Amino acid sequence: MRGKTMASIMATYAQDFATKWELEAQNKRDLDIFDNLSDRLIELGMISARHGVLFNQKEKHRLIAILEFKDADAYKNCMELIEATDWNREINRVERLESYVIDAELDA
């Protein structure tokens, strides 16, 4: 681990669903919508995006998205676009958003 001071911001979205079917249906919708936004988010300062499905947990159905932005202004601008987008949230879920300032990075 290198002690670099970073100005980047990371946001995580976690979504929990009651069933695997609901997770799969919302996952497809989210990825399609995000694909349509990605070029604009990059222009606004998003530097990476990762998406995953909870692994090896019986009867837990969770999606997570991890987004990284070059700085606080990029985070603000991208989040305005994300929040103004109709994500077609017809499926019930519990959603959590957390944001972090990156203070160290592990180089592989």
Side-chain angles (χ1 to χ4, degrees):
M1 187 159 170
R2 298 191 177 138
K4 297 184 212 174
T5 301
M6 308 291 284
S8 63
I9 305 292
M10 177 179 68
T12 63
Y13 281 97
Q15 300 176 9
D16 293 318
F17 300 90
T19 68
K20 183 178 177 181
W21 177 88
E22 290 171 323
L23 176 146
E24 290 171 349
Q26 190 64 57
N27 187 36
K28 179 170 179 4
R29 289 177 184 179
D30 285 354
L31 292 176
D32 288 345
I33 294 167
F34 188 82
D35 189 46
N36 291 329
L37 292 179
S38 62
D39 289 341
R40 182 70 181 125
L41 289 168
I42 290 167
E43 289 173 13
L44 292 171
M46 183 183 73
I47 55 178
S48 72
R50 299 179 121 192
H51 188 273
V53 177
L54 186 64
F55 170 72
N56 206 21
Q57 298 289 315
K58 188 174 183 170
E59 301 304 317
K60 289 188 179 181
H61 311 286
R62 179 176 297 152
L63 299 173
I64 189 163
I66 303 168
L67 308 174
E68 189 173 353
F69 309 95
K70 68 180 181 179
D71 55 30
D73 286 337
Y75 169 81
K76 177 185 166 288
N77 294 331
C78 288
M79 293 306 290
E80 284 175 0
L81 176 60
I82 289 168
E83 291 172 3
T85 299
D86 179 5
W87 289 90
N88 205 3
R89 300 280 196 218
E90 298 168 3
I91 297 171
N92 288 332
R93 77 214 173 289
V94 175
E95 185 170 271
R96 216 173 36 255
L97 168 64
E98 296 179 335
S99 302
Y100 302 85
V101 172
I102 305 298
D103 65 347
E105 185 174 337
L106 176 63
D107 293 331

